[in-house]
Amino acid sequence: MKVAIINFPGTNSEIDTKWAFDKLGCDSEILWHKESSIDADLVVLPGGFSHGDYLRTAAIAKFSPIMEAVKAHAKKGGYILGICNGFQMLLELGLLPGAMNKNLSLNFIAKFHCLKVISNSNKFLSNCEVGEILKVPIAHGEGNYHIDNYSLFKMQDKEQILLKYCDENGEILNPNGSVDGIAGICDENKKIFGLMPHPERACDELNGSVCGIKMLKGFL
């Protein structure tokens, strides 16, 4: 599988993301944001602080030249994964519904956190069981996902809510104030995925968890 990982000024997870997909045997490459074309099965918008997060997180990244190719990839039904800052970019582009606010505590959060699998009727989490608890790092200052009630109900009906924050027993434990404890979602066609946690940082026992590699392996 060919994977294109987009690198913006301020991105800091492109190497980790490439390492994770290389570990899975994928043909991966890192593309600079000023490129104008993409030839891949999966496009990954990785975590970091694109353009320093000036103005508003991901507000500048959506104008990068390569974003036209990202939108074209989405239009033809290609897979896209947005991790943390990448998730914020997908919201800014309108490829996923909702918006992101600062964490309710107004503090940056960096730690391992448990996630509960809400839906596995998609390629990304196809190797996971519904209700399974995953242990994956989070690292963000703006992870407070917001969406109106009507759209939230629609997402629930269409199984677009994929992951929720929880404790080790699966009870909701919300670190940032996200609506309904949401940590990850997808589009109606289940081709575009966004999540605030970092699966690429949980791909080896040395990192403290292999839950991330189980998630990413779903794309193969």
Side-chain angles (χ1 to χ4, degrees):
M1 185 178 73
K2 298 179 71 173
V3 181
I5 301 155
I6 314 302
N7 189 19
F8 300 82
T11 297
N12 63 17
S13 292
E14 73 279 13
I15 302 296
D16 292 346
T17 304
K18 186 177 188 331
W19 176 82
F21 280 103
D22 287 349
K23 188 180 178 78
L24 288 170
C26 297
D27 177 11
S28 68
E29 65 173 342
I30 296 173
L31 296 179
W32 185 232
H33 75 115
K34 290 193 175 180
E35 297 288 335
S36 58
S37 63
I38 299 172
D39 177 21
D41 304 300
L42 170 67
V43 173
V44 183
L45 302 173
F49 304 90
S50 57
H51 301 277
D53 281 353
Y54 294 120
L55 299 180
R56 184 178 66 247
T57 303
I60 300 175
K62 71 178 178 182
F63 295 110
S64 284
I66 203 162
M67 284 307 194
E68 290 303 317
V70 172
K71 289 188 282 189
H73 184 77
K75 192 173 182 179
K76 70 180 182 182
Y79 286 102
I80 301 176
L81 173 65
I83 301 171
C84 197
N85 194 203
F87 182 15
Q88 294 158 341
M89 290 176 197
L90 292 174
L91 298 176
E92 286 286 338
L93 286 170
L95 293 178
L96 287 176
M100 204 66 77
N101 291 321
K102 291 184 182 298
N103 296 341
L104 210 54
S105 65
L106 300 183
N107 293 320
F108 189 91
I109 303 170
K111 62 178 181 178
F112 268 99
H113 205 288
C114 290
L115 308 172
K116 187 173 187 176
V117 177
I118 305 302
S119 174
N120 64 355
S121 62
N122 58 83
K123 199 169 177 64
F124 179 33
L125 299 180
S126 57
N127 289 322
C128 303
E129 300 294 330
V130 172
E132 184 173 347
I133 309 300
L134 305 171
K135 186 181 175 186
V136 180
I138 59 174
H140 56 252
E142 293 185 30
N144 182 357
Y145 178 73
H146 176 76
I147 195 164
D148 63 89
N149 285 337
Y150 175 73
S151 299
L152 178 64
F153 294 145
K154 279 179 58 180
M155 289 174 64
Q156 290 169 339
D157 287 342
K158 296 179 182 296
E159 293 192 58
Q160 291 177 249
I161 298 171
L162 306 184
L163 296 161
K164 291 186 180 182
Y165 299 106
C166 68
D167 63 16
E168 292 181 349
N169 298 313
E171 300 297 323
I172 296 298
L173 179 61
N174 193 336
N176 51 32
S178 286
V179 168
D180 207 25
I182 290 174
I185 63 173
C186 67
D187 71 329
E188 291 186 14
N189 297 318
K190 297 180 172 57
K191 291 291 188 73
I192 303 172
F193 305 89
L195 76 165
M196 288 310 296
H198 287 265
E200 80 282 6
R201 299 179 187 174
C203 293
D204 194 287
E205 291 290 356
L206 285 173
N207 301 137
S209 171
V210 291
C211 291
I213 200 94
K214 185 175 184 179
M215 299 164 77
L216 298 178
K217 196 174 183 178
F219 283 114
L220 302 185

